[in-house]
Amino acid sequence: DLPLPLATTRSLEGLRKFVQAKDAWNNGDRNQAMNLWQEATVLDSDFALAHASLGGAYYWANDRPRGEEHFARALKLLDRLTDRERFQVRSQVEGWRGNREAAIDILKARLAAYPDDREVWGAIGYNYMRLNRDRDALDAYAKQLAIDSGSASDLINIATAHKGLKQYQESLRYYESAFALQPSWRTLDNLNHEYGTTLVMAGKSKEARDAFTAMLSGTPENQAMGHRSLGMLDELEGRFEDAIGHFRQAAVLSQARQHPLSEARNRVFLAMALRDKGRADSAREELGTAYALFRKNYFEPTFVWWLGKALVANGQVARARELLDSLTRRASNSEDRRSQLSLQGEIALAEGR
């Protein structure tokens, strides 16, 4: 019963799967969305919009190399697309690659050519938000809400922009509006943590703890995220032994699910909490496990920087230098280069330079 959009594809069934994937993504079922987009590209290997969407999904899942495979395919097909679709693909690719200013320029050109476009202001607002230009983001979203006020994703991003401006009560109001439209999003992926963090910033730590605890009755992946958030809250409030317990449980759950990036992230948090309790040897062991995961898996540049900082703080400068080499090779946008320079600075400081 989903309406089919105008899209360049030779497969009607592929188009149906493309629409179903978008609906699944908007409802928080990320894995199902990725499977459906993949099926759409199997039905029509030249389905550029499906390749672009799948590329973005892989970027979201911290798998940039596979995302780039689909982006490369989508860009090769530009000459087969309509002008509107070309704008759409190019803005998606630039945005996910971290070239936010370029994405905004393309979206504004798309708006000038197609002023009736119903989604473009929301996309502009999202890119401004990712640039931390929160006032510009709110201006764009105000225009988007005048067109369509029923998008929970837009309301979440508006909440994030208000949080960036330290307008926490206003942020919470928009979170609640989004959850009214999508109740399951209270325990969806990173949204639960972002919402709980806003509660903490608003001075509502008890409500934040309740929000994080709700994750513990969900899937193993949700449980891992809930334990991580609770560990961070415990550490913030000085309950380091409780924090260590939560981070350790999060690491075990991530390991069982074979999610190396999540496991490494949780072990870094665990190491930091152990160090704060003066247990340097245990902290070193956890960082060693995270480092071993880095050696076997692709990690995004931002996390490579974060792991490198933790290694420097633990006195493992040689390993941090190895991470810096990888980070330098992978850096492809301004955010990556910022991470690279920051880790260079940490290492220089540790070496007395």
Side-chain angles (χ1 to χ4, degrees), residues 315-323:
Q316 301 183 53
V317 179
R319 285 183 170 179
R321 278 195 168 280
E322 182 182 342
L323 267 70

Side-chain angles (χ1 to χ4, degrees), residues 3-204:
L4 297 182
L6 294 174
T8 300
T9 175
R10 59 174 170 262
S11 171
L12 180 61
E13 185 59 26
L15 181 59
R16 288 196 182 99
K17 289 185 180 296
F18 175 77
V19 176
Q20 291 167 355
K22 185 175 180 180
D23 190 58
W25 185 271
N26 290 337
N27 287 326
D29 194 343
R30 315 298 195 191
N31 291 331
Q32 176 68 358
M34 293 176 74
N35 289 337
L36 286 165
W37 277 319
Q38 187 69 57
E39 290 173 15
T41 63
V42 170
L43 289 165
D44 179 2
S45 61
D46 293 336
F47 194 172
L49 295 185
H51 280 293
S53 295
L54 194 53
Y58 277 120
Y59 258 77
W60 175 87
N62 298 303
D63 191 344
R64 190 183 298 193
R66 293 184 72 179
E68 279 299 315
E69 291 176 9
H70 288 281
F71 282 160
R73 182 63 181 162
L75 291 172
K76 285 183 179 179
L77 297 166
L78 286 181
D79 61 346
R80 302 187 182 193
L81 304 182
T82 65
D83 288 342
R84 190 191 294 256
E85 289 173 315
R86 290 192 192 99
F87 283 127
Q88 183 175 341
V89 169
R90 289 172 55 225
S91 64
Q92 280 183 275
V93 171
E94 292 294 348
W96 280 109
R97 284 177 172 172
N99 302 320
R100 299 289 172 186
E101 297 283 5
I104 290 169
D105 289 342
I106 295 168
L107 287 164
K108 287 183 175 180
R110 172 179 163 185
L111 187 63
Y114 303 98
D116 62 334
D117 197 307
R118 295 185 58 82
E119 298 181 352
V120 69
W121 277 115
I124 290 172
Y126 178 77
N127 281 286
Y128 276 134
M129 182 197 73
R130 293 298 300 271
L131 284 168
N132 297 317
R133 292 173 57 178
D134 296 307
R135 294 194 185 282
D136 290 330
L138 291 176
D139 288 343
Y141 276 117
K143 295 181 176 68
Q144 182 62 39
L145 290 183
I147 300 169
D148 178 12
S149 61
S151 169
S153 294
D154 289 342
L155 295 173
I156 290 291
N157 293 333
I158 292 170
T160 304
H162 279 294
K163 180 167 61 175
L165 294 171
K166 300 184 180 180
Q167 298 168 349
Y168 303 126
Q169 295 299 333
E170 194 70 1
S171 176
L172 290 172
R173 185 170 73 84
Y174 278 98
Y175 273 119
E176 293 299 338
S177 296
F179 296 152
L181 294 172
Q182 293 280 5
S184 65
W185 284 16
R186 286 185 184 273
T187 54
L188 174 65
D189 298 334
N190 57 307
L191 293 186
N192 175 270
H193 180 75
E194 294 173 10
Y195 171 61
T197 300
T198 309
L199 286 168
V200 172
M201 293 174 172
K204 299 181 178 183

